[in-house]
Amino acid sequence: MASLGMINLSSWGSCFSQNPPFLHENGTTRHAVSGTDPTLFASRRFGSVKADKLDSVNIGGDSQVLNFPGGVVKFTPELKFLSEIPEERIQCYRVLDDSGQLVSSNFVQIDREIAVKMYKDMVTLQTVDTIFYEAQRQGRISFYVTTTGEEAINIASAAALTMDDFVFPQYREVGVLLWRGFGLQDIANQCFGNKVDNGKGRQMPAHYGSNKHNYFTVASTVATQIPHAVGAAYSLKMDGRDACTITYFGDGGTSTGDFHAALNFAAVMEAPVILFCRNNGWAISTPISDQFRSDGIVVRGQAYGVRSIRVDGNDALAVFSAVCMARKMAISESRPVLIEALTYRAGHHSTSDDSSKYRPIEEIEWWRATQDPVARFRKWLEGEGLWTSQFEKEFRDFARQEVLNAIQVAEKMEKPGLREIFTDVYDVPPSNLRDQERSLRRNVERHQQDYPHFQF
C-alpha cells in the first residue's frame, strides 16, 4: 500500500522538551536517559536517597554538589533566581504551512487511503457542526458545541490511535467518535435524546459516550476526565495491555486542580497516557492572558517531569505525527506524554455563548479565512493528486444530505420512557428512589396534558 511522508526518528525527539531519542543499530528507537535502559523504573526520575547517606563532594575542583533526597544538586555562589519569562517561547512543530505546502519531511508515514478518509471525516465534522448548530437555533435541540477550527485536532489525533486505546474526552471531540465508527445517526440520536440514544436521553446534547468505541461519556464538569484517564492508563500498565489512554482538555482545564494532580500522578506512576491540550485561546470568555503567565501549557509538562511537545493544531499531518509518536512512547516506555496543540476556537464556546461580546468579529473571521485546518489539508491532498474540485463538491453534497437524513430520523423517533430515569444505576433500587418513581408516576397521571410524549 502506498504511503505518503517519512519521519526521521533520529531528529524527531528534538521536538520534545525532554530526552531526545537515538537510533540503535537494529533500527529501534530508544531514549537517552542518564545512560540507562529507559524502561527501568528509576531511569527517568531523579534518584532519592536516605538522609543518613548525604555527602558533599567536589566535581572538577570548584563545583561542590550534595546528594540531597531527590538527587545530586550543584551549588553556586550566585544569588540568581530562575526567570519567570523564557528568553524564547517553546517552538511549535508543524509539517504544512498555511497554504498546505510541506515545510518538513520529518513526519510519520501516512497511507493514501487514511489521508483521504481523514479529509472526508473533517468535512463531515464541519457539516455536522453547521447543521446541528442551525438545528439548535431553530429550537429542535436544546444545546450544541461546535469544533470549528479544531477539526484537525479531532480527526488527525483519532487516526493515530487504535481502537484498543481508551478516550477520555472533554466536549469538543465528537470527531474522534466519528473516526471510530460512531455514525451520523448515533450522533443525531444522542442530540435529540430519543429512545435509541446510548444515554437514554439522560445526557445533555453533544455529551456522547460509547462503550463499543472505548469512548468514555462526556461530562460537563471541567477537567474531571484528566485524572480518570491517568488512573485508567495505570490500570492498563498493570495489566500489561498494548494500549494507552488519551484525554482531551482545553486551556481552561489546565487552570483546575485536577489537571495538576493528574500530571503529577501520571509522571510519578509512569502511566501510559497522552494528555492532549487544545490551547485555543479562550476558556469560554476568559482569554489565556487572564489564565496564566507561563509559556502556554507545554512547559507545565516539563515542570512535572512529563515529556512534552507543542504542535500546530491546524496542521493535520503535524497532529497525526505527534500523536503517533506519543502513543509509541507511552506504551513502549510506559510514560505519560503531554501535547499542546495551538489553535483558535473559531466558533462560539457553545450555543449558549456569543463570542462577539468579548472578542472582535474581525479576529474570528481572520482565523476562519486564513487558518482553516480543513482547507489546508485539502490543498496538500490536491498537491498529492488525491483530491479534486469535483470530489469536493460531490462529497460535501453527500455529507450534507446524510446529516439531514439522520436528523429527520432522530427527530421523529419516540423519547425514552420516564422509567429510564431510575434505571442502570442500582441492581435493586433503594427505597428513596422507588418513592421518587411512584411520586413522578402519580404526577404524570394527574397532568397527562403536560406530558404528551412521556410514558412509563
Side-chain angles (χ1 to χ4, degrees):
M1 184 176 293
S3 298
L4 300 173
M6 178 69 70
I7 185 167
N8 181 352
L9 292 177
S10 62
S11 62
W12 173 264
S14 62
C15 297
F16 287 81
S17 59
Q18 293 182 15
N19 304 324
F22 61 89
L23 291 179
H24 280 256
E25 293 180 0
N26 62 6
T28 61
T29 305
R30 303 302 292 270
H31 289 263
V33 187
S34 304
T36 60
D37 187 336
T39 60
L40 296 179
F41 174 77
S43 64
R44 293 188 300 277
R45 61 178 67 185
F46 296 105
S48 296
V49 296
K50 295 181 179 179
D52 61 356
K53 293 293 182 71
L54 294 178
D55 58 349
S56 180
V57 298
N58 287 320
I59 295 181
D62 4 69
S63 298
Q64 192 178 57
V65 302
L66 188 61
N67 195 17
F68 282 103
V72 174
V73 178
K74 289 184 179 181
F75 291 104
T76 176
E78 297 183 29
L79 180 60
K80 184 178 180 179
F81 292 86
L82 295 177
S83 174
E84 75 282 6
I85 302 176
E87 294 182 2
E88 181 181 354
R89 295 198 67 184
I90 299 295
Q91 295 181 347
C92 183
Y93 168 68
R94 74 163 16 179
V95 177
L96 299 176
D97 64 16
D98 295 349
S99 59
Q101 299 298 312
L102 286 173
V103 294
S104 171
S105 60
N106 191 24
F107 63 98
V108 173
Q109 295 184 15
I110 179 170
D111 292 338
R112 293 173 181 267
E113 292 82 0
I114 296 296
V116 172
K117 183 182 186 305
M118 284 171 58
Y119 182 70
K120 286 183 175 180
D121 280 5
M122 290 167 72
V123 170
T124 302
L125 183 56
Q126 273 192 336
T127 307
V128 167
D129 280 349
T130 299
I131 294 177
F132 275 85
Y133 186 89
E134 293 171 353
Q136 193 281 333
R137 286 298 187 246
Q138 295 166 0
R140 298 163 75 179
I141 58 177
S142 61
F143 179 82
Y144 193 72
V145 178
T146 67
T147 61
T148 310
E150 301 177 21
E151 295 88 355
I153 287 174
N154 269 251
I155 303 302
S157 65
L161 302 170
T162 75
M163 286 297 294
D164 292 329
D165 300 324
F166 290 84
V167 179
F168 291 78
Q170 193 179 24
Y171 37 65
R172 223 178 287 278
E173 286 83 34
V174 64
V176 178
L177 259 181
L178 189 66
W179 177 269
R180 291 188 162 211
F182 195 77
L184 295 176
Q185 193 62 61
D186 297 318
I187 293 173
N189 291 338
Q190 197 285 325
C191 287
F192 280 90
N194 59 37
K195 66 178 183 180
V196 293
D197 162 35
N198 283 348
K200 300 182 179 179
R202 295 175 295 201
Q203 278 276 23
M204 289 175 60
H207 285 54
Y208 313 96
S210 174
N211 290 341
K212 176 182 177 182
H213 300 94
N214 284 339
Y215 189 97
F216 281 72
T217 304
V218 173
S220 289
T221 45
V222 177
T224 54
Q225 74 277 8
I226 308 178
H228 298 164
V230 174
Y234 187 65
S235 175
L236 292 176
K237 172 184 174 179
M238 297 296 289
D239 290 342
R241 298 274 295 276
D242 185 25
C244 69
T245 66
I246 184 170
T247 179
Y248 297 86
F249 48 94
D251 48 271
T254 69
S255 298
T256 66
D258 279 340
F259 166 78
H260 294 277
L263 249 68
N264 191 55
F265 188 94
V268 173
M269 303 308 294
E270 299 178 321
V273 56
I274 301 173
L275 303 135
F276 197 111
C277 177
R278 299 175 286 98
N279 187 348
N280 61 23
W282 295 91
I284 308 183
S285 60
T286 304
I288 57 174
S289 59
D290 290 344
Q291 291 189 66
F292 45 76
R293 289 285 301 276
S294 61
D295 178 14
I297 312 304
V298 66
V299 294
R300 299 186 179 190
Q302 189 174 38
Y304 278 105
V306 175
R307 184 168 291 167
S308 309
I309 188 174
R310 172 173 282 164
V311 179
D312 183 351
N314 299 327
D315 179 351
L317 290 186
V319 172
F320 177 81
S321 299
V323 176
C324 274
M325 292 300 295
R327 181 182 185 275
K328 181 181 295 185
M329 294 173 187
I331 297 174
S332 65
E333 300 176 29
S334 187
R335 68 161 70 244
V337 181
L338 172 66
I339 298 175
E340 178 190 21
L342 296 182
T343 183
Y344 185 84
R345 195 193 75 215
H348 303 302
H349 180 264
S350 72
T351 50
S352 302
D353 173 48
D354 179 3
S355 60
S356 66
K357 300 296 184 182
Y358 52 81
R359 58 182 182 176
I361 295 179
E362 295 78 11
E363 176 182 300
I364 302 172
E365 292 304 321
W366 182 87
W367 279 94
R368 283 180 173 175
T370 66
Q371 301 296 317
D372 178 13
V374 183
R376 186 188 301 187
F377 195 52
R378 175 191 171 185
K379 291 174 184 176
W380 178 74
L381 286 176
E382 289 175 339
E384 296 290 327
L386 301 177
W387 200 254
T388 66
S389 297
Q390 183 64 27
F391 291 165
E392 181 74 9
K393 182 181 184 308
E394 291 176 356
F395 186 75
R396 284 193 178 271
D397 290 345
F398 170 78
R400 179 173 178 80
Q401 192 56 52
E402 289 291 294
V403 174
L404 289 174
N405 290 342
I407 283 182
Q408 292 170 2
V409 171
E411 194 171 24
K412 294 176 182 178
M413 198 165 293
E414 295 178 359
K415 300 295 182 183
L418 282 180
R419 61 184 175 79
E420 298 293 356
I421 297 175
F422 305 95
T423 62
D424 297 338
V425 176
Y426 298 97
D427 181 31
V428 178
S431 59
N432 64 318
L433 200 60
R434 293 197 299 270
D435 290 343
Q436 291 177 32
E437 182 179 1
R438 284 192 291 268
S439 175
L440 179 59
R441 187 187 296 273
R442 289 194 298 268
N443 192 58
V444 170
E445 291 172 351
R446 285 198 303 267
H447 306 283
Q448 291 185 2
Q449 70 280 5
D450 296 327
Y451 299 91
H453 303 296
F454 290 96
Q455 297 181 354
F456 276 93

